[in-house]
């Protein structure tokens, strides 16, 4: 690839797909490269409903943000935030509570560069370049220390990110490190890929293979029982850990694509 878009940071390989840019494509965004679109199209060939899973994830995120604001939480730490698209955390939170503060976290240079451009005129939101696998680097990032008061409740957003951590990365311990840094009254929001549905399309395993072949990330599916350790130290709020469309929907779920049932959502409250 020879043409580098003006928004693409120098120093990144435009021929290597990125999880966040593939996700951006699924959401209908424009900050992705042909190599990302190629990987996305392969995933969609195996599982045509995968963009709807991404959209359902984004919808749960918006509902969970409003839930947090309704509890009086005005600080948000969104890890694995990806490339900002319409209806991101700061837009939802600040619409519900002007002055709400948001720190995004990502390790993708494109996501970081574009987020900084989007947020340059938004004083109450910023992005930190850090990796979920090193939670201390997130908690000690200058942006986190400047924007968030960890002695007050925070909404920890882990939306569609933990399924990129295999068990050997000890994801439950990572979440516990973040939990221990949060004040009582904080919440954690988790969405995660799952095989937990009797009508799971056969293409799910091929989607996992696409991620393994195209990126440095493995997509790990987990069941409801396997997600419970991520909520240790939190009280899981109603309706519990459920399929994406069923977590506090704004309207009763209709005839949904079975693919959206391949995602789970849950919210925990730190007592």
């Amino acid at each position: 690839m020879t043409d580098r878009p003006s928004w693409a940071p120098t120093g990144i390989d435009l021929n290597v797909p990125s999880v966040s840019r593939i996700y951006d494509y699924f959401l209908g965004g424009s900050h992705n490269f042909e190599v990302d679109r190629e990987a996305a199209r392969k995933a969609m060939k195996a599982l045509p409903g995968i963009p709807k899973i991404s959209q359902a994830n984004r919808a749960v995120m918006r509902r969970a943000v409003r839930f947090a604001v309704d509890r009086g939480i005005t600080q948000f730490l969104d890890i694995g935030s990806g490339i900002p698209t319409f209806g991101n955390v700061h837009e939802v939170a600040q619409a519900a509570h002007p002055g709400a503060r948001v720190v995004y976290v990502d390790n993708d240079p494109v996501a970081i560069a574009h987020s900084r451009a989007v947020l340059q005129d938004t004083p109450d939101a910023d992005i930190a370049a850090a990796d979920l696998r090193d939670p201390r680097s997130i908690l000690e990032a200058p942006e986190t220390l400047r924007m968030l008061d960890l002695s007050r409740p925070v909404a920890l957003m882990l939306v569609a990110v933990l399924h990129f951590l295999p068990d050997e990365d000890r994801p439950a311990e990572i979440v516990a490190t973040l939990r221990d840094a949060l004040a009582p009254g904080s919440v954690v929001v988790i969405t995660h890929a799952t095989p937990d549905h009797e009508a799971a399309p056969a293409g799910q395993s091929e989607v996992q293979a696409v991620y393994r072949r195209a990126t440095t990330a493995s997509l790990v599916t987990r069941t409801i029982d396997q997600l419970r350790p991520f909520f240790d130290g939190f009280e899981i709020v109603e309706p519990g850990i459920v399929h994406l469309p069923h977590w506090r929907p704004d309207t009763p779920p209709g005839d949904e694509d079975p693919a959206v049932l391949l995602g789970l959502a849950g919210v925990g409250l730190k007592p």
Side-chain angles (χ1 to χ4, degrees):
M1 183 179 295
T2 57
D3 295 331
R4 180 179 295 272
S6 59
W7 48 264
T10 59
I12 67 165
D13 188 344
L14 305 192
N15 298 301
V16 177
S18 153
V19 166
S20 64
R21 297 194 305 267
I22 292 172
Y23 189 66
D24 176 68
Y25 179 79
F26 290 148
L27 288 171
S30 60
H31 287 79
N32 47 74
F33 307 137
E34 178 54 30
V35 67
D36 307 305
R37 296 188 285 273
E38 181 181 357
R41 287 192 290 266
K42 289 179 179 177
M44 291 167 62
K45 182 177 180 181
L47 182 56
I50 197 168
K52 293 187 178 181
I53 303 174
S54 301
Q55 294 159 13
N57 257 304
R58 183 53 59 95
V60 168
M61 177 274 288
R62 291 193 288 264
R63 299 197 297 272
V65 167
R66 293 194 294 267
F67 167 84
V69 172
D70 287 345
R71 292 194 60 86
I73 296 174
T74 59
Q75 303 186 104
F76 296 82
L77 181 59
D78 183 5
I79 302 176
S81 52
I83 296 169
T85 56
F86 178 75
N88 218 325
V89 171
H90 73 280
E91 294 178 328
V92 179
Q94 291 169 4
H97 184 96
R101 294 194 147 206
V102 179
V103 173
Y104 294 111
V105 179
D106 211 288
N107 63 356
D108 182 332
V110 170
I112 294 162
H114 189 55
S115 296
R116 286 178 177 154
V118 168
L119 300 173
Q120 62 182 346
D121 296 322
T122 307
D124 292 323
D126 205 346
I127 184 162
D131 194 309
L132 177 57
R133 289 166 293 192
D134 182 6
R136 297 307 314 177
S137 72
I138 296 172
L139 296 169
E140 296 168 5
E143 296 83 0
T144 304
L145 297 175
R146 179 174 61 85
M147 296 290 293
L148 304 182
D149 177 0
L150 296 183
S151 69
R152 296 173 44 240
V154 171
L156 172 62
M157 312 294 294
L158 297 169
V159 175
V161 65
L162 289 172
H163 51 222
F164 292 114
L165 296 185
D167 290 343
E168 51 264 35
D169 283 343
R170 302 181 180 272
E173 293 182 17
I174 290 171
V175 177
T177 298
L178 295 166
R179 176 203 65 212
D180 291 347
L182 301 180
S186 295
V187 299
V188 63
V189 178
I190 295 175
T191 71
H192 198 291
T194 184
D196 229 9
H197 186 252
E198 65 273 11
Q204 190 179 40
S205 60
E206 178 56 27
V207 172
Q208 292 173 286
V210 168
Y211 276 94
R212 283 196 304 270
R213 291 193 300 263
T215 74
T216 59
S218 295
L219 177 62
V220 182
T221 61
R222 294 183 172 99
T223 65
I224 290 176
D225 286 342
Q226 289 170 324
L227 286 194
R228 293 192 191 281
F230 298 159
F231 290 94
D232 284 352
F234 294 97
E235 297 173 353
I236 301 176
V237 304
E238 292 295 331
I241 304 172
V242 295
H243 296 293
L244 294 171
H246 303 154
W247 195 88
R248 303 196 176 206
D250 295 324
T251 58
D255 293 330
E256 59 219 1
D257 189 315
V260 301
L261 301 180
L262 297 176
L264 295 172
V267 174
L269 171 66
K270 182 174 179 179

